[in-house]
Amino acid sequence: MTTVVPESRPARLQFLVYVVAFFVGSHFLMISVVMPLWALQLGASPLLIGLIISARQVLVVTMSIHGGALIDRYGPRRMIILLGLAGAALLIAYPLAPLIWATVLIQFMAGWLETTSWIGAQALVGRLLGGGPLYAGRMTAATRFGGFVGPVLAGLVWQAYGSFWGFAFISAWVLVGVFTAWCLPRSEEIYSTPARAAAEVAAAPAPGAVETPRKGVLPSFSDYATTFRLLALPAVALVICCTFMRQAGSGIQSSFYGVWLKEIGFDAAAIGLLIGISNGVSAIAALTVGRAARYVAVHWLLIGMTIIAVAAIAITPVLGTFIALAIAIGLRGWGQGYNFPLMLSLSSQAVGPHLQARVVALRISFNKFGGALVPFIMGAVAEFTGVENAFYIIGAVGVAALVGLGIWAGLSPAFKGRS
């Protein structure tokens, strides 16, 4: 597929988009440090830990597309501000209600607020920056750098001051992202671009059709129908398959990675540092995506790097030293640094400007469905086979599925001759 190179965007505009991504996109990774520790503090069993982590994805799976429609309708800037304010307030509720059932309930809404804000941040790349791989790579680098700094600081604050201030720190982090979003231009029309990939859109006219403007905040069947029709686009279909399968690695990291490290003697600061290393490496890797895509077909690059990202975390139990763990998580970060901007750019350039948030939401819906499924399944597997074996089993399933996706892409006429 030919890559579309958008026209240059003002440096200040780019900077604001990247800063929003720095703060909004790292929120999930900071939660992945403190939530397993919070669950252990509450005395949760492995199965309940899996339930607590999975609860964060329930509304995300069912309501992300609605959130994307709201962002397309009212604009990413406005929605990031509103959702960020609500999410920052809700973070303080965790330590104020130190009960397992209360944590599960809070997880439902907090996950949706966090994820919908992240959909808005990604939609900014398509709405304001044209969706080019250069901008997607830079945005990913900013996000991963935030993912390096944020988890380290969250782990240190938790270690030094306890759970309340750990959550309070993450709340303040979110508010900085809200303020940066407030500084974005109120009008996006001067930066919008026409629909890309005209040949693909012509093959599936429904997704690219102009919608009748509608107002309101309630879910609409038409929003869901329009969004799911985007699966008719080959680039979108590839991205959706890959984003679901990569959850084999992300689900491990967000749930039992911290639990395992805690069990073998690592404290919160060390766990945060390891996750931070992953995202620091990922930030550097994201800046090289454009060059690598000149030499390797994008779909092969996407699938291959995702396999590396999954395998690198699945081998965690065989690594007993900090250096070995840092190398492995760094290798995972390199794979993650590639697969995310490739997915963002491919899907963004496949649709028009007023479907940017919905194509992001479609990807995130499948991503979070896997994110809800993997920790719960891993918790169940760990309950019966032990945490160590759960790493190997989930990782093997993820790699096998990605190999299957590679076989499909190799046989599919849609990807013949793509670059």
Side-chain angles (χ1 to χ4, degrees):
M1 183 174 69
T2 302
T3 301
V4 178
V5 180
E7 61 187 59
S8 178
R9 295 295 193 266
R12 180 180 180 275
L13 177 67
Q14 292 186 52
F15 175 76
L16 289 174
V17 171
Y18 303 150
V19 173
V20 170
F22 177 92
F23 286 101
V24 175
S26 53
H27 180 188
F28 171 78
L29 293 162
M30 297 168 77
I31 290 294
S32 73
V33 173
V34 304
M35 192 53 60
L37 300 176
W38 178 245
L40 289 173
Q41 186 172 314
L42 295 177
S45 67
L47 185 60
L48 286 175
I49 292 173
L51 176 62
I52 288 171
I53 302 299
S54 295
R56 197 169 185 86
Q57 315 301 339
V58 172
L59 286 182
V60 172
V61 172
T62 57
M63 298 291 287
S64 281
I65 289 174
H66 174 56
L70 291 177
I71 291 168
D72 281 333
R73 191 169 303 132
Y74 296 109
R77 175 185 177 276
R78 181 186 300 177
M79 293 302 296
I80 291 171
I81 292 171
L82 293 176
L83 297 168
L85 290 173
L90 201 57
L91 277 163
I92 303 300
Y94 287 102
L96 296 180
L99 299 167
I100 291 176
W101 67 265
T103 297
V104 170
L105 292 178
I106 296 169
Q107 285 279 81
F108 287 143
M109 183 55 68
W112 185 79
L113 292 171
E114 167 207 305
T115 301
T116 309
S117 295
W118 178 223
I119 290 172
Q122 293 176 69
L124 290 172
V125 175
R127 293 280 284 262
L128 297 180
L129 302 182
L134 173 65
Y135 298 134
R138 288 175 178 174
M139 190 277 277
T140 302
T143 302
R144 300 307 185 189
F145 183 58
F148 169 75
V149 176
V152 173
L153 293 179
L156 289 172
V157 171
W158 184 286
Q159 186 73 19
Y161 302 106
S163 56
F164 177 83
W165 290 108
F167 283 113
F169 174 77
I170 300 175
S171 178
W173 184 275
V174 172
L175 288 175
V176 177
V178 168
F179 174 76
T180 308
W182 181 79
C183 296
L184 287 167
R186 286 173 170 78
S187 173
E188 302 169 358
E189 295 304 319
I190 59 173
Y191 301 110
S192 64
T193 57
R196 274 85 59 182
E200 288 192 350
V201 174
V210 177
E211 296 180 280
T212 301
R214 59 179 296 269
K215 296 185 180 296
V217 296
L218 296 178
S220 164
F221 175 78
S222 64
D223 288 332
Y224 282 79
T226 298
T227 303
F228 278 105
R229 282 198 295 267
L230 295 174
L231 289 169
L233 304 176
V236 174
L238 174 67
V239 166
I240 295 305
C241 290
C242 196
T243 199
F244 180 80
M245 295 170 185
R246 74 198 281 265
Q247 271 302 322
S250 299
I252 292 173
Q253 180 174 314
S254 66
S255 55
F256 283 87
Y257 184 71
V259 172
W260 175 260
L261 294 181
K262 185 73 173 177
E263 287 185 354
I264 63 175
F266 290 92
D267 59 22
I271 296 170
L273 179 58
L274 284 168
I275 294 177
I277 288 171
S278 172
N279 287 278
V281 173
S282 185
I284 297 171
L287 296 175
T288 69
V289 170
R291 181 174 297 274
R294 298 176 186 174
Y295 304 103
V296 181
V298 171
H299 60 284
W300 292 125
L301 195 60
L302 174 58
I303 294 169
M305 285 297 181
T306 306
I307 289 175
I308 290 173
V310 172
I313 199 166
I315 63 172
T316 295
V318 304
L319 309 172
T321 67
F322 183 87
I323 293 177
L325 288 165
I327 292 172
I329 200 70
L331 187 60
R332 168 171 167 76
W334 192 268
Q336 293 288 85
Y338 267 67
N339 62 43
F340 177 75
L342 290 171
M343 291 190 297
L344 177 60
S345 182
L346 279 171
S347 57
S348 175
Q349 293 195 343
V351 303
H354 297 293
L355 288 168
Q356 292 297 317
R358 268 167 282 190
V359 75
V360 171
L362 181 66
R363 176 172 54 79
I364 284 182
S365 294
F366 282 88
N367 188 44
K368 296 302 183 179
F369 176 66
L373 203 60
V374 171
F376 185 73
I377 292 176
M378 190 169 181
V381 172
E383 192 83 14
F384 294 102
T385 69
V387 174
E388 179 177 352
N389 289 330
F391 274 81
Y392 304 141
I393 293 169
I394 298 299
V397 170
V399 170
L402 284 161
V403 170
L405 177 63
I407 293 172
W408 170 77
L411 297 176
S412 174
F415 297 102
K416 299 295 184 183
R418 290 188 173 223
S419 61

